[in-house]
Amino acid sequence: MKVGYHIFLLLSACFFSQPLLAQQRFAVSGYVRDSTSGESLMGASIGIKGTSSGVQSNTYGFYAITLTPGTYTLVFSFIGYEAQEKTIEVGKGPLSLSASLVPRSFQAREIVIMEKRKDENVKNTEMGKVELAAEQMKKLPALMGEVDPLKAIQLMPGVQAAGEGNAGFYVRGGAPDQNLILLDEAPVYNTGHLFGFFSVFNADAIRDITLTKGGMPANYGGRLSSVLDVVMKDGNNQAFQVEGGIGAIASRLSIQGPLVKDKASFILSGRRTYADILAKPFVKKRSSFYGSGYHFHDLNAKVNYRFSDKDRLFLSGYLGRDVFRYRNSGRSFETHIPWGNNTATLRWNHVFSKKLFANTSLIYNDYKFEFSAVQQTFRINLNSGIRDYNGKLDFDYFINFKHHLKFGGNYIYHRFTPSSVSGSQDTTTFKPDNGFRKYAHEAALYIQDDWEISPKVKVNIGLRYSGFRQIGPYTRYIRDEDGNKTDSVTYGRGQEVRSYGGFEPRILLRYAWNNENSVKASVTRNNQFIHLVTNAGSTLPTDIWVPSTLNVKPQFSWQYAVGYYRNFKENAWEASAEAYYKDLQNQIEYRSGYTPSLNDPEEEFVFGRGYAYGLELFLRKIKGKLTGWVGYTLAWTWRQFPDLNGGNRFPAKYDRRHDLALVAMYDLNPRWSFSGVFIFGSGNTTTLPEKFYFVEGVLMQEYGELNSYRMKPYHRLDLSAIYTPRKKQPGRKFTSNWAFSIYNTYSRLNPYFIYFDQTGAVLNGDLEIKAKQVSLFPIIPAVTWDFKF
């Protein structure tokens, strides 16, 4: 509490110590947009010609500056667009001034990796922030030709893939549930299609993707490790446009255009796999497996309407579903497993004044997993999921060039269904008392000031207070030493079961002694009230989300980071080195020897702490025909649980000592572009048996310490080439290209898991036990045809 109180006093001093202006000032505000599509340009730079003063547009392209009377020339710029200058006369009152920037032609454009201000990495206070545009991601090699934003993020230092081909990721030693993943502000609880091998994000529907893995700004909360903010396209409000692609595993189609030119637009983007459709003609109806198959599909939709420069409304949604069916008529067995996410976001932008911008959001999301199986007259059903109703209010207050104030809050109503099992046998129906549905309120308030104290010193100070309350209906069971229920306590609807809360201070400091060099440091605290408990990877549909309860305390962490940032050769090259230390409390794992049961899952949890530390090195070239980056991470990730591994610390399953990614992209000419990715990583940790022995003729295994064995290193080379058959001509609307990719070019058999195979018998004297490695993907070539008109 003392820490929060002191930071509150510091914030108050920052916000309210502004001197009364002796000279009258006037606000100039507006929007920065793409002239060809009307899309807002987030992070565009607005500066005063002849000075170093400037601001950046927010997520919706809005900016505001305060000026004394006089004549000024404002320069609007955004990498990949022609800069635009506008001269204004300030002195008669607030002014509205918007800019529509024209994209540079392909031949003239300098290819860039990050769509941002050229010296932003040196000048701002942000640490561990990665921004990628969708068009850039499409240039990278892709597994089976399917462009995946989450796999592009995995190529950054400090970010690790959850496994071979998996779309899940770990950030700086954090667990998968410690990443807050947002799609147009709606949390996405399961990011995987095809059991995690592809993500739910369709690159054709995405405008920008931003990952923050260092000092998390105060407007984000609820997770310990990172924020992945995915923003959908608004839709072209100038002309109708159709684009899509036909690939090796899936096809996609997007349609966008104006509903009212310059005022309203829409985008509709769909994607579906077709392996089940292609396989169906080859499976005969008399086959025992006829009717089996798998597919996934998703749909992104968004509409927006600009009532005026002061009011704009957005409505966006996502629907995704995986469906797996297996039939074996010979055994009278059939199973049906559907799972997926639904989200909807309604947002209203309102400009209260030339300095004050507000966004109000109403958000709904629902994640469901279902399993049903039938064998003869026996049927079983399993359901789990999480549903949220969310309200947010965020304000941007542009005090002056040196102060950008953000404040607001949010409220979430959670409904958790960790597990629910039912079934029937002939005419007998059973539904055990295992529907452990839980309900909770979560709320937060925050305030943050990005303050440039001097040209050399800039600080971002934020304070967030978050709270969580579990409510009824809920029944808590009291058990004896054998696990039998002896008593219970029942809580009525809306009655408080347990509440938690706490302050989350965030401080980020930047010192820049010139335009090319800076050092930054940050200290952040985060609280997390909901948890994903898993026995395996990060995006499997069988993983369950659980809330903080009487028995499950919230997770919290402190993260400390320091970094050096340097630009070279007129910002053509960017380099950074960041060191971090993360202290994680109240970490959750299943107890040793856990097997699924009808008990409440939280009765199977054990709790401990974790800590992670490491060094991230990053070198990136952002200009010229050849672009790319090199990222290297040296890291340690530990866990320590009183009830696991004899209370001794052990490496987390995602502890990876060395992680290296080399990415190169080369635009040979308007028709051909090439890219390559090389990845190297230390082998994943795992737990293996160390001794085998027989007890009454039964082979027994004695396991070693947790995660004491490390598998072979992982490495892979991916290559791709994009061929555009015909240069786009003026007036020609249809364009297309062919994307050729090779995943795992030299067919490295990387370890996925290890098992032990037994041959022979003891009585024969030829018993032999061998460890065997399972690998997933050999070399996989793919071809995708993309089109646009």
Side-chain angles (χ1 to χ4, degrees):
M1 183 66 74
K2 288 184 177 180
V3 173
Y5 177 71
H6 290 153
I7 292 180
F8 177 76
L9 292 179
L10 182 57
L11 286 169
S12 300
C14 296
F15 304 150
F16 303 114
S17 64
Q18 307 297 321
L20 294 175
L21 299 177
Q23 187 174 12
Q24 192 173 14
R25 293 175 177 267
F26 298 95
V28 179
S29 63
Y31 292 86
V32 186
R33 304 185 180 98
D34 183 313
S35 65
T36 61
S37 65
E39 291 272 0
S40 301
L41 296 181
M42 177 182 67
S45 181
I46 303 93
I48 300 175
K49 190 173 184 180
T51 73
S52 60
S53 299
V55 296
Q56 285 185 281
S57 58
N58 68 7
T59 304
Y60 301 96
F62 180 82
Y63 79 95
I65 56 177
T66 304
L67 300 169
T68 57
T71 301
Y72 299 89
T73 298
L74 299 188
V75 181
F76 299 84
S77 61
F78 194 67
I79 291 182
Y81 290 76
E82 298 289 346
Q84 189 176 120
E85 296 184 0
K86 292 191 176 187
T87 301
I88 58 171
E89 187 71 32
V90 176
K92 296 182 179 179
L95 295 173
S96 292
L97 185 67
S98 296
S100 295
L101 303 187
V102 179
R104 296 174 185 167
S105 63
F106 180 85
Q107 296 90 336
R109 181 171 69 239
E110 292 179 320
I111 305 303
V112 295
I113 293 173
M114 303 286 180
E115 297 289 350
K116 62 180 187 178
R117 194 175 65 191
K118 61 184 181 181
D119 60 353
E120 182 183 355
N121 66 310
V122 172
K123 289 296 187 68
N124 65 26
T125 55
E126 295 161 342
M127 296 188 68
K129 184 175 180 179
V130 176
E131 294 176 299
L132 288 174
E135 294 304 316
Q136 193 64 38
M137 292 182 282
K138 291 180 179 180
K139 291 189 174 186
L140 298 174
L143 173 62
M144 299 184 188
E146 191 65 21
V147 176
D148 195 332
L150 295 194
K151 289 190 174 67
I153 287 295
Q154 294 170 7
L155 300 174
M156 297 298 171
V159 183
Q160 298 177 12
E164 170 76 280
N166 202 299
F169 61 98
Y170 308 109
V171 176
R172 291 185 172 178
D177 65 319
Q178 294 170 3
N179 303 313
L180 176 62
I181 301 174
L182 303 172
L183 178 62
D184 269 7
E185 298 190 55
V188 178
Y189 287 107
N190 184 280
T191 59
H193 280 315
L194 191 58
F195 299 95
F197 291 117
F198 299 100
S199 81
V200 300
F201 301 115
N202 180 356
D204 285 352
I206 293 172
R207 186 184 75 198
D208 298 291
I209 182 169
T210 303
L211 174 72
T212 303
K213 56 189 171 70
M216 192 183 299
N219 54 305
Y220 294 112
R223 302 293 190 277
L224 302 188
S225 290
S226 74
V227 177
L228 183 70
D229 197 352
V230 181
V231 180
M232 288 173 53
K233 293 177 180 177
D234 293 336
N236 194 320
N237 66 15
Q238 300 298 306
F240 283 95
Q241 181 178 311
V242 178
E243 64 179 315
I246 300 174
I249 192 171
S251 289
R252 61 192 191 280
L253 182 68
S254 299
I255 304 172
Q256 58 180 312
L259 297 171
V260 179
K261 192 170 182 179
D262 292 322
K263 278 186 172 290
S265 62
F266 77 96
I267 182 171
L268 192 65
S269 184
R271 179 176 58 160
R272 192 193 192 279
T273 55
Y274 36 68
D276 58 327
I277 298 174
L278 296 178
K280 189 173 183 179
F282 299 97
V283 181
K284 297 179 180 179
K285 290 186 177 181
R286 62 177 179 270
S287 169
S288 297
F289 304 103
Y290 183 79
S292 300
Y294 166 84
H295 78 272
F296 73 75
H297 61 269
D298 46 35
L299 178 69
N300 295 77
K302 190 172 185 176
V303 295
N304 71 91
Y305 189 86
R306 184 182 301 121
F307 295 93
S308 67
D309 280 344
K310 288 189 174 183
D311 292 282
R312 190 174 185 182
L313 200 65
F314 301 82
L315 177 61
S316 59
Y318 168 81
L319 169 65
R321 196 69 76 234
D322 288 66
V323 180
F324 174 73
R325 292 180 182 272
Y326 175 75
R327 294 188 63 197
N328 188 332
S329 57
R331 294 180 177 272
S332 301
F333 178 77
E334 181 177 350
T335 184
H336 179 219
I337 310 176
W339 72 93
N341 304 274
N342 298 330
T343 74
T345 306
L346 177 64
R347 288 179 289 180
W348 169 43
N349 291 173
H350 179 67
V351 179
F352 284 95
S353 70
K354 299 301 179 182
K355 292 185 178 182
L356 184 60
F357 176 93
N359 177 69
T360 304
S361 301
L362 297 176
I363 304 162
Y364 167 84
N365 61 283
D366 185 23
Y367 167 66
K368 290 181 180 178
F369 168 76
E370 300 175 45
F371 171 88
S372 63
V374 178
Q375 187 163 26
Q376 295 179 349
T377 61
F378 177 76
R379 176 184 295 273
I380 188 170
N381 299 286
L382 170 68
N383 297 277
S384 65
I386 178 173
R387 178 179 294 176
D388 290 345
Y389 300 90
N390 189 347
K392 289 181 61 184
L393 181 59
D394 299 287
F395 293 91
D396 283 277
Y397 186 54
F398 300 86
I399 300 173
N400 54 43
F401 279 118
K402 296 183 178 182
H403 282 271
H404 177 193
L405 180 65
K406 293 178 71 74
F407 57 94
N410 74 288
Y411 162 79
I412 308 173
Y413 175 73
H414 296 287
R415 190 191 76 177
F416 299 85
T417 308
S419 62
S420 177
V421 181
S422 62
S424 63
Q425 175 77 52
D426 295 323
T427 59
T428 303
T429 300
F430 65 95
K431 189 173 183 180
D433 186 15
N434 63 357
F436 302 105
R437 183 170 289 177
K438 298 182 177 70
Y439 305 85
H441 301 293
E442 183 175 356
L445 294 172
Y446 74 90
I447 189 167
Q448 171 182 293
D449 185 21
D450 203 28
W451 176 25
E452 186 174 356
I453 299 174
S454 71
K456 292 184 177 181
V457 180
K458 190 174 185 179
V459 64
N460 185 304
I461 307 176
L463 182 63
R464 182 182 183 91
Y465 182 87
S466 57
F468 188 88
R469 175 179 295 178
Q470 182 194 3
I471 60 171
Y474 174 69
T475 300
R476 178 169 64 92
Y477 294 100
I478 300 171
R479 299 177 182 270
D480 59 21
E481 294 180 356
D482 298 323
N484 300 312
K485 297 177 182 177
T486 59
D487 202 353
S488 65
V489 179
T490 300
Y491 299 85
R493 181 175 299 276
Q495 184 179 353
E496 179 180 316
V497 180
R498 183 64 190 268
S499 62
Y500 299 95
F503 285 100
E504 303 175 50
R506 320 278 175 88
I507 303 175
L508 299 92
L509 177 68
R510 180 224 72 192
Y511 179 81
W513 54 93
N514 55 36
N515 291 334
E516 296 182 343
N517 295 272
S518 70
V519 291
K520 302 178 188 179
S522 67
V523 179
T524 57
R525 178 188 162 101
N526 295 80
N527 298 329
Q528 180 168 329
F529 302 106
I530 65 175
H531 325 280
L532 179 71
V533 187
T534 173
N535 256 342
S538 64
T539 55
L540 294 181
T542 50
D543 298 340
I544 59 172
W545 286 90
V546 297
S548 296
T549 63
L550 279 168
N551 301 319
V552 181
K553 294 182 179 180
Q555 303 177 60
F556 70 89
S557 73
W558 284 96
Q559 181 173 237
Y560 310 88
V562 61
Y564 170 66
Y565 303 81
R566 173 71 191 274
N567 285 4
F568 303 89
K569 295 185 177 180
E570 298 181 349
N571 297 294
W573 291 80
E574 296 179 351
S576 65
E578 289 190 26
Y580 67 89
Y581 178 86
K582 187 185 293 184
D583 183 12
L584 303 157
Q585 298 293 331
N586 298 335
Q587 301 302 283
I588 304 174
E589 295 282 356
Y590 281 113
R591 62 174 172 80
S592 181
Y594 163 76
T595 55
S597 68
L598 297 181
N599 293 337
D600 189 334
E602 70 177 44
E603 296 179 14
E604 310 291 345
F605 299 159
V606 293
F607 306 92
R609 67 170 294 231
Y611 51 99
Y613 47 91
L615 174 67
E616 300 170 2
L617 304 177
F618 196 39
L619 177 65
R620 174 176 59 222
K621 186 175 185 291
I622 65 173
K623 293 183 179 181
K625 285 191 172 184
L626 176 64
T627 60
W629 66 84
V630 179
Y632 169 73
T633 306
L634 174 66
W636 289 261
T637 303
W638 300 97
R639 294 291 185 268
Q640 190 166 18
F641 286 68
D643 299 309
L644 297 177
N645 205 47
N648 299 318
R649 76 171 188 173
F650 57 92
K653 61 186 175 184
Y654 30 88
D655 173 74
R656 189 173 299 168
R657 195 70 64 244
H658 305 282
D659 201 44
L660 174 71
L662 288 83
V663 179
M665 289 165 280
Y666 182 70
D667 289 286
L668 178 65
N669 54 46
R671 291 195 174 188
W672 283 99
S673 66
F674 302 91
S675 66
V677 173
F678 175 76
I679 298 172
F680 174 88
S682 299
N684 289 338
T685 62
T686 187
T687 306
L688 295 179
E690 293 182 335
K691 298 178 181 179
F692 296 88
Y693 53 90
F694 286 90
V695 176
E696 297 181 353
V698 178
L699 181 65
M700 308 295 290
Q701 301 177 1
E702 183 176 311
Y703 282 84
E705 292 190 351
L706 277 176
N707 298 334
S708 58
Y709 182 81
R710 192 175 294 274
M711 291 189 283
K712 293 179 181 178
Y714 181 100
H715 53 88
R716 191 186 80 235
L717 174 67
D718 303 335
L719 299 173
S720 74
I722 298 176
Y723 174 63
T724 304
R726 186 178 299 179
K727 177 182 173 183
K728 186 175 181 179
Q729 302 292 336
R732 179 181 172 84
K733 294 184 177 181
F734 183 85
T735 60
S736 67
N737 63 61
W738 291 88
F740 306 92
S741 66
I742 303 177
Y743 180 88
N744 198 2
T745 305
Y746 51 84
S747 202
R748 158 77 173 179
L749 296 179
N750 287 298
Y752 189 63
F753 66 84
I754 294 173
Y755 73 97
F756 286 86
D757 185 46
Q758 175 184 339
T759 59
V762 175
L763 296 178
N764 298 332
D766 59 353
L767 176 67
E768 188 175 8
I769 300 174
K770 288 185 178 180
K772 293 192 175 182
Q773 172 184 301
V774 174
S775 301
L776 285 185
F777 299 124
I779 181 173
I780 302 177
V783 180
T784 302
W785 180 57
D786 296 316
F787 59 88
K788 181 186 292 187
F789 59 88

